[in-house]
Amino acid sequence: MRSIWNGAISFGLVSIPIKLVNATESHSISFRQIHTEDGGRIRYRKFCELEDREVTGTEIGKGYEDADGSIIPISDEDLAQLPIPTARTIEIVAFVPGDRIDPLQMDAAYYLAASGAPAAKPYTLLREALKRSNKVAIAKFALRGRERLGMLRVVGDAIAMHGLLWPDEVRAPEGVAPDTHVTVRDKELDLADALMDTLGEVDLQDLHDEYREAVEEVIAAKAAGEALPEAPAPATGGKVLDLMAALEGSVRAARESRGEAPAEEARVSPLAQRAAGRATPKEPAGKKSTAKKAAAKKTTASTSASAKKTASKSAQGTKKAAASKSTAKKTPTKKAASRKRSA
């Protein structure tokens, strides 16, 4: 990686020669300005207002405009000789816990690379000291014409530096929050909590810039003379007035997108019940399987006993019917013998 600044880290009496390289890169698509009639590039020419002629880059410098409108020329040599210790040095001024840094102050990120073999030992010393202390270093440095604030921390085996805004450059959030009194019900908080649980976590490596990909598709289609990709239909519907319905729908949609849950499982229990449920230990898988087998045996035994009882009743009914028929047959025979004797 190409360095953008060379200097040293001042760590007490220890000096560590380093190179500053960008830790991030932009993948956004940039466009050129063109003449819509013929596609010609639009160029800007730089003119001197006093001589009314175009000037080259070598003739252009910088100057400060005073209150009365006069221009005071300032050269790169003037800035290089500024009487400050951070002109070519990243001066560490303190070590603080990382959570003391407000993310609102975070600016551009850089890697600090050791410059040469002699820098390896003090570089490693600072890195390991930061690791063991679980702290970050606060430093001051000068870059691109002004002094800046920085935070040094360990990233892998390297030391990274985040540019920080000065505290007076961060605005207070006055007038941003709603000034209307709003009451949030426990059930709404339960649904919001359920939605957060359903969405879960995400691996940031899986996220990508869909807008850039869509622009690339449009550019490729126009270059090939093909039809442009169709845009998705805009979402319809008015303002959502029922917050509960919106939360329930969000929970249901999130679960369906993850292949979970029928609609009935989207019900949400209060936070107290869910906490109690989490506190109850789960039944071991072996015990659960034994209980299921015992219940199945009990059901089978009950069914078998019922079947035997039914069969016994049926047999008794059959015997009674047979005895009744036998009696009916014997009775006419006895009557016939009696009549014969009588005659």
Side-chain angles (χ1 to χ4, degrees), residues 173-215:
E174 296 177 358
V176 177
D179 56 0
T180 305
H181 178 71
V182 177
T183 302
V184 179
R185 294 177 292 167
D186 288 342
K187 191 171 182 182
E188 293 169 338
L189 285 173
D190 293 338
L191 278 170
D193 185 62
L195 179 57
M196 289 190 290
D197 289 344
T198 304
L199 292 176
E201 298 182 358
V202 66
D203 185 355
L204 296 182
Q205 299 295 331
D206 296 335
L207 302 179
H208 56 280
D209 188 351
E210 296 182 9
Y211 178 83
R212 177 174 60 86
E213 293 176 355
V215 172

Short mmCIF file of all heavy atoms in Angstrom, two decimals, residues 173-215:
data_model
loop_
_atom_site.label_atom_id
_atom_site.label_comp_id
_atom_site.label_asym_id
_atom_site.label_seq_id
_atom_site.Cartn_x
_atom_site.Cartn_y
_atom_site.Cartn_z
N PRO A 173 -26.98 17.18 20.48
CA PRO A 173 -28.24 16.78 19.82
C PRO A 173 -29.45 17.56 20.32
O PRO A 173 -30.52 16.99 20.54
CB PRO A 173 -28.34 15.29 20.21
CG PRO A 173 -27.68 15.21 21.53
CD PRO A 173 -26.57 16.20 21.51
N GLU A 174 -29.31 18.84 20.46
CA GLU A 174 -30.42 19.65 20.95
C GLU A 174 -31.45 19.85 19.83
O GLU A 174 -31.11 20.15 18.70
CB GLU A 174 -29.92 21.02 21.43
CG GLU A 174 -28.98 20.93 22.64
CD GLU A 174 -28.44 22.29 23.04
OE1 GLU A 174 -28.78 23.27 22.33
OE2 GLU A 174 -27.68 22.36 24.02
N GLY A 175 -32.73 19.67 20.18
CA GLY A 175 -33.81 19.85 19.23
C GLY A 175 -33.98 18.70 18.26
O GLY A 175 -34.76 18.81 17.31
N VAL A 176 -33.27 17.60 18.47
CA VAL A 176 -33.37 16.47 17.55
C VAL A 176 -34.45 15.49 18.01
O VAL A 176 -35.25 14.99 17.21
CB VAL A 176 -32.01 15.74 17.43
CG1 VAL A 176 -32.13 14.52 16.55
CG2 VAL A 176 -30.96 16.70 16.87
N ALA A 177 -34.48 15.19 19.31
CA ALA A 177 -35.47 14.24 19.83
C ALA A 177 -36.86 14.85 19.78
O ALA A 177 -37.03 16.08 19.81
CB ALA A 177 -35.11 13.86 21.27
N PRO A 178 -37.92 14.03 19.69
CA PRO A 178 -39.30 14.57 19.67
C PRO A 178 -39.59 15.34 20.95
O PRO A 178 -39.20 14.93 22.05
CB PRO A 178 -40.17 13.30 19.60
CG PRO A 178 -39.27 12.23 19.10
CD PRO A 178 -37.91 12.55 19.58
N ASP A 179 -40.25 16.48 20.79
CA ASP A 179 -40.59 17.29 21.96
C ASP A 179 -41.99 16.98 22.47
O ASP A 179 -42.49 17.65 23.38
CB ASP A 179 -40.48 18.78 21.63
CG ASP A 179 -41.33 19.18 20.43
OD1 ASP A 179 -42.00 18.28 19.86
OD2 ASP A 179 -41.33 20.36 20.06
N THR A 180 -42.65 15.97 21.89
CA THR A 180 -43.98 15.55 22.33
C THR A 180 -43.85 14.40 23.30
O THR A 180 -43.07 13.46 23.07
CB THR A 180 -44.83 15.11 21.12
OG1 THR A 180 -44.85 16.16 20.15
CG2 THR A 180 -46.25 14.76 21.55
N HIS A 181 -44.62 14.43 24.40
CA HIS A 181 -44.58 13.36 25.38
C HIS A 181 -45.26 12.12 24.81
O HIS A 181 -46.41 12.20 24.34
CB HIS A 181 -45.26 13.79 26.69
CG HIS A 181 -45.29 12.70 27.72
ND1 HIS A 181 -44.15 12.28 28.37
CD2 HIS A 181 -46.30 11.93 28.19
CE1 HIS A 181 -44.46 11.30 29.21
NE2 HIS A 181 -45.76 11.08 29.12
N VAL A 182 -44.57 11.01 24.82
CA VAL A 182 -45.08 9.75 24.27
C VAL A 182 -44.95 8.67 25.34
O VAL A 182 -43.92 8.58 26.02
CB VAL A 182 -44.31 9.33 23.00
CG1 VAL A 182 -44.80 8.00 22.49
CG2 VAL A 182 -44.44 10.39 21.92
N THR A 183 -46.00 7.86 25.49
CA THR A 183 -45.98 6.74 26.42
C THR A 183 -45.84 5.44 25.63
O THR A 183 -46.61 5.19 24.71
CB THR A 183 -47.27 6.69 27.27
OG1 THR A 183 -47.39 7.92 27.99
CG2 THR A 183 -47.22 5.53 28.26
N VAL A 184 -44.86 4.65 25.99
CA VAL A 184 -44.63 3.36 25.34
C VAL A 184 -45.09 2.26 26.29
O VAL A 184 -44.65 2.18 27.44
CB VAL A 184 -43.14 3.17 25.00
CG1 VAL A 184 -42.91 1.80 24.36
CG2 VAL A 184 -42.67 4.26 24.07
N ARG A 185 -46.00 1.42 25.81
CA ARG A 185 -46.55 0.34 26.65
C ARG A 185 -45.60 -0.85 26.71
O ARG A 185 -44.78 -1.04 25.81
CB ARG A 185 -47.91 -0.10 26.10
CG ARG A 185 -49.00 0.98 26.19
CD ARG A 185 -50.28 0.50 25.58
NE ARG A 185 -50.15 0.34 24.13
CZ ARG A 185 -51.04 -0.30 23.38
NH1 ARG A 185 -52.10 -0.87 23.93
NH2 ARG A 185 -50.86 -0.40 22.07
N ASP A 186 -45.78 -1.64 27.79
CA ASP A 186 -44.93 -2.81 27.96
C ASP A 186 -45.09 -3.81 26.82
O ASP A 186 -44.14 -4.45 26.38
CB ASP A 186 -45.24 -3.52 29.29
CG ASP A 186 -44.74 -2.72 30.48
OD1 ASP A 186 -43.87 -1.84 30.28
OD2 ASP A 186 -45.23 -2.95 31.60
N LYS A 187 -46.32 -3.95 26.31
CA LYS A 187 -46.55 -4.91 25.23
C LYS A 187 -45.83 -4.47 23.96
O LYS A 187 -45.33 -5.30 23.20
CB LYS A 187 -48.05 -5.03 24.97
CG LYS A 187 -48.40 -6.21 24.05
CD LYS A 187 -49.88 -6.44 23.97
CE LYS A 187 -50.19 -7.66 23.08
NZ LYS A 187 -51.64 -7.89 22.96
N GLU A 188 -45.75 -3.18 23.73
CA GLU A 188 -45.01 -2.68 22.57
C GLU A 188 -43.52 -2.96 22.73
O GLU A 188 -42.84 -3.32 21.76
CB GLU A 188 -45.28 -1.19 22.40
CG GLU A 188 -46.71 -0.87 22.01
CD GLU A 188 -47.04 0.60 22.09
OE1 GLU A 188 -46.34 1.34 22.82
OE2 GLU A 188 -48.01 1.04 21.43
N LEU A 189 -43.03 -2.79 23.95
CA LEU A 189 -41.62 -3.11 24.19
C LEU A 189 -41.36 -4.61 24.02
O LEU A 189 -40.31 -5.01 23.52
CB LEU A 189 -41.22 -2.67 25.60
CG LEU A 189 -41.02 -1.16 25.80
CD1 LEU A 189 -40.79 -0.84 27.28
CD2 LEU A 189 -39.86 -0.65 24.98
N ASP A 190 -42.34 -5.44 24.45
CA ASP A 190 -42.21 -6.89 24.27
C ASP A 190 -42.09 -7.24 22.80
O ASP A 190 -41.26 -8.06 22.39
CB ASP A 190 -43.40 -7.62 24.89
CG ASP A 190 -43.44 -7.51 26.41
OD1 ASP A 190 -42.37 -7.24 26.98
OD2 ASP A 190 -44.51 -7.67 26.99
N LEU A 191 -42.93 -6.62 21.96
CA LEU A 191 -42.89 -6.90 20.53
C LEU A 191 -41.59 -6.39 19.90
O LEU A 191 -41.00 -7.05 19.04
CB LEU A 191 -44.09 -6.25 19.84
CG LEU A 191 -45.41 -7.03 19.92
CD1 LEU A 191 -46.56 -6.19 19.43
CD2 LEU A 191 -45.31 -8.32 19.11
N ALA A 192 -41.15 -5.22 20.34
CA ALA A 192 -39.87 -4.70 19.82
C ALA A 192 -38.72 -5.62 20.21
O ALA A 192 -37.82 -5.88 19.40
CB ALA A 192 -39.63 -3.29 20.35
N ASP A 193 -38.77 -6.13 21.44
CA ASP A 193 -37.73 -7.06 21.89
C ASP A 193 -37.78 -8.36 21.08
O ASP A 193 -36.76 -8.93 20.71
CB ASP A 193 -37.92 -7.35 23.38
CG ASP A 193 -36.81 -8.21 23.94
OD1 ASP A 193 -35.65 -7.77 23.91
OD2 ASP A 193 -37.10 -9.33 24.40
N ALA A 194 -39.00 -8.84 20.81
CA ALA A 194 -39.15 -10.06 20.01
C ALA A 194 -38.63 -9.85 18.59
O ALA A 194 -38.02 -10.73 18.00
CB ALA A 194 -40.61 -10.49 19.98
N LEU A 195 -38.87 -8.66 18.03
CA LEU A 195 -38.38 -8.37 16.69
C LEU A 195 -36.86 -8.35 16.66
O LEU A 195 -36.23 -8.89 15.74
CB LEU A 195 -38.93 -7.02 16.22
CG LEU A 195 -38.49 -6.54 14.83
CD1 LEU A 195 -38.85 -7.56 13.77
CD2 LEU A 195 -39.12 -5.19 14.51
N MET A 196 -36.24 -7.78 17.70
CA MET A 196 -34.77 -7.77 17.76
C MET A 196 -34.23 -9.18 17.89
O MET A 196 -33.23 -9.53 17.26
CB MET A 196 -34.31 -6.89 18.92
CG MET A 196 -34.52 -5.41 18.70
SD MET A 196 -33.73 -4.37 19.94
CE MET A 196 -34.74 -4.73 21.37
N ASP A 197 -34.89 -10.02 18.71
CA ASP A 197 -34.45 -11.40 18.85
C ASP A 197 -34.59 -12.16 17.54
O ASP A 197 -33.76 -13.00 17.20
CB ASP A 197 -35.25 -12.12 19.94
CG ASP A 197 -34.90 -11.61 21.33
OD1 ASP A 197 -33.84 -10.97 21.46
OD2 ASP A 197 -35.68 -11.83 22.28
N THR A 198 -35.67 -11.89 16.80
CA THR A 198 -35.91 -12.61 15.55
C THR A 198 -34.90 -12.22 14.48
O THR A 198 -34.39 -13.06 13.75
CB THR A 198 -37.34 -12.31 15.05
OG1 THR A 198 -38.28 -12.66 16.07
CG2 THR A 198 -37.65 -13.12 13.80
N LEU A 199 -34.62 -10.92 14.39
CA LEU A 199 -33.64 -10.48 13.39
C LEU A 199 -32.25 -11.00 13.75
O LEU A 199 -31.45 -11.31 12.87
CB LEU A 199 -33.62 -8.95 13.31
CG LEU A 199 -34.89 -8.31 12.73
CD1 LEU A 199 -34.78 -6.80 12.79
CD2 LEU A 199 -35.10 -8.76 11.29
N GLY A 200 -31.96 -11.09 15.06
CA GLY A 200 -30.70 -11.67 15.49
C GLY A 200 -29.49 -10.85 15.06
O GLY A 200 -29.57 -9.64 14.88
N GLU A 201 -28.36 -11.54 14.89
CA GLU A 201 -27.11 -10.89 14.53
C GLU A 201 -26.83 -11.09 13.03
O GLU A 201 -27.54 -11.81 12.35
CB GLU A 201 -25.95 -11.46 15.36
CG GLU A 201 -26.12 -11.22 16.86
CD GLU A 201 -24.94 -11.76 17.64
OE1 GLU A 201 -24.03 -12.34 17.01
OE2 GLU A 201 -24.93 -11.59 18.87
N VAL A 202 -25.81 -10.40 12.57
CA VAL A 202 -25.45 -10.50 11.15
C VAL A 202 -23.94 -10.46 11.04
O VAL A 202 -23.25 -9.79 11.83
CB VAL A 202 -26.10 -9.34 10.35
CG1 VAL A 202 -25.53 -7.99 10.75
CG2 VAL A 202 -25.92 -9.54 8.85
N ASP A 203 -23.41 -11.21 10.08
CA ASP A 203 -22.00 -11.14 9.76
C ASP A 203 -21.81 -9.98 8.78
O ASP A 203 -22.36 -9.98 7.67
CB ASP A 203 -21.54 -12.45 9.13
CG ASP A 203 -20.04 -12.48 8.89
OD1 ASP A 203 -19.38 -11.44 9.13
OD2 ASP A 203 -19.53 -13.52 8.46
N LEU A 204 -21.05 -8.96 9.21
CA LEU A 204 -20.89 -7.78 8.36
C LEU A 204 -20.25 -8.11 7.02
O LEU A 204 -20.41 -7.35 6.05
CB LEU A 204 -20.05 -6.72 9.10
CG LEU A 204 -20.69 -6.16 10.38
CD1 LEU A 204 -19.77 -5.10 10.99
CD2 LEU A 204 -22.05 -5.54 10.08
N GLN A 205 -19.55 -9.25 6.94
CA GLN A 205 -18.95 -9.64 5.66
C GLN A 205 -20.01 -10.02 4.63
O GLN A 205 -19.74 -10.02 3.43
CB GLN A 205 -18.00 -10.83 5.88
CG GLN A 205 -16.83 -10.54 6.81
CD GLN A 205 -15.89 -9.51 6.25
OE1 GLN A 205 -15.75 -9.38 5.03
NE2 GLN A 205 -15.25 -8.75 7.12
N ASP A 206 -21.22 -10.34 5.11
CA ASP A 206 -22.29 -10.73 4.18
C ASP A 206 -23.02 -9.52 3.59
O ASP A 206 -23.83 -9.68 2.67
CB ASP A 206 -23.31 -11.62 4.90
CG ASP A 206 -22.70 -12.94 5.35
OD1 ASP A 206 -21.70 -13.35 4.72
OD2 ASP A 206 -23.21 -13.53 6.31
N LEU A 207 -22.77 -8.34 4.12
CA LEU A 207 -23.46 -7.14 3.62
C LEU A 207 -22.69 -6.57 2.43
O LEU A 207 -21.46 -6.62 2.39
CB LEU A 207 -23.57 -6.10 4.74
CG LEU A 207 -24.30 -6.55 6.00
CD1 LEU A 207 -24.33 -5.43 7.03
CD2 LEU A 207 -25.71 -7.02 5.68
N HIS A 208 -23.42 -6.02 1.48
CA HIS A 208 -22.79 -5.45 0.30
C HIS A 208 -23.62 -4.28 -0.20
O HIS A 208 -24.77 -4.09 0.18
CB HIS A 208 -22.62 -6.50 -0.81
CG HIS A 208 -23.91 -7.15 -1.21
ND1 HIS A 208 -24.48 -8.18 -0.49
CD2 HIS A 208 -24.75 -6.92 -2.25
CE1 HIS A 208 -25.61 -8.54 -1.05
NE2 HIS A 208 -25.80 -7.80 -2.13
N ASP A 209 -23.01 -3.52 -1.11
CA ASP A 209 -23.63 -2.30 -1.65
C ASP A 209 -24.53 -2.67 -2.83
O ASP A 209 -24.06 -2.86 -3.96
CB ASP A 209 -22.53 -1.34 -2.08
CG ASP A 209 -23.08 0.02 -2.47
OD1 ASP A 209 -24.32 0.17 -2.58
OD2 ASP A 209 -22.28 0.96 -2.68
N GLU A 210 -25.83 -2.79 -2.56
CA GLU A 210 -26.77 -3.17 -3.63
C GLU A 210 -26.98 -2.02 -4.63
O GLU A 210 -27.23 -2.26 -5.80
CB GLU A 210 -28.11 -3.57 -3.00
CG GLU A 210 -28.02 -4.82 -2.13
CD GLU A 210 -29.36 -5.22 -1.57
OE1 GLU A 210 -30.37 -4.63 -2.00
OE2 GLU A 210 -29.40 -6.12 -0.70
N TYR A 211 -26.87 -0.79 -4.15
CA TYR A 211 -27.03 0.35 -5.07
C TYR A 211 -25.92 0.35 -6.12
O TYR A 211 -26.17 0.53 -7.32
CB TYR A 211 -27.01 1.65 -4.27
CG TYR A 211 -27.13 2.89 -5.13
CD1 TYR A 211 -28.37 3.35 -5.57
CD2 TYR A 211 -25.99 3.59 -5.54
CE1 TYR A 211 -28.48 4.48 -6.36
CE2 TYR A 211 -26.09 4.72 -6.34
CZ TYR A 211 -27.33 5.16 -6.75
OH TYR A 211 -27.44 6.27 -7.54
N ARG A 212 -24.66 0.14 -5.68
CA ARG A 212 -23.56 0.11 -6.64
C ARG A 212 -23.73 -1.02 -7.64
O ARG A 212 -23.47 -0.85 -8.84
CB ARG A 212 -22.23 -0.05 -5.89
CG ARG A 212 -21.02 -0.16 -6.80
CD ARG A 212 -19.72 -0.16 -6.00
NE ARG A 212 -19.66 -1.27 -5.07
CZ ARG A 212 -19.23 -2.48 -5.37
NH1 ARG A 212 -18.85 -2.77 -6.61
NH2 ARG A 212 -19.19 -3.43 -4.47
N GLU A 213 -24.17 -2.20 -7.18
CA GLU A 213 -24.38 -3.33 -8.09
C GLU A 213 -25.47 -3.02 -9.12
O GLU A 213 -25.35 -3.38 -10.29
CB GLU A 213 -24.75 -4.58 -7.29
CG GLU A 213 -23.61 -5.09 -6.41
CD GLU A 213 -24.02 -6.26 -5.54
OE1 GLU A 213 -25.23 -6.60 -5.55
OE2 GLU A 213 -23.15 -6.83 -4.87
N ALA A 214 -26.54 -2.33 -8.66
CA ALA A 214 -27.61 -1.98 -9.60
C ALA A 214 -27.11 -0.98 -10.64
O ALA A 214 -27.46 -1.07 -11.83
CB ALA A 214 -28.80 -1.41 -8.83
N VAL A 215 -26.28 -0.01 -10.22
CA VAL A 215 -25.73 0.96 -11.17
C VAL A 215 -24.83 0.26 -12.18
O VAL A 215 -24.86 0.57 -13.39
CB VAL A 215 -24.96 2.07 -10.42
CG1 VAL A 215 -24.22 2.98 -11.40
CG2 VAL A 215 -25.91 2.90 -9.58
#
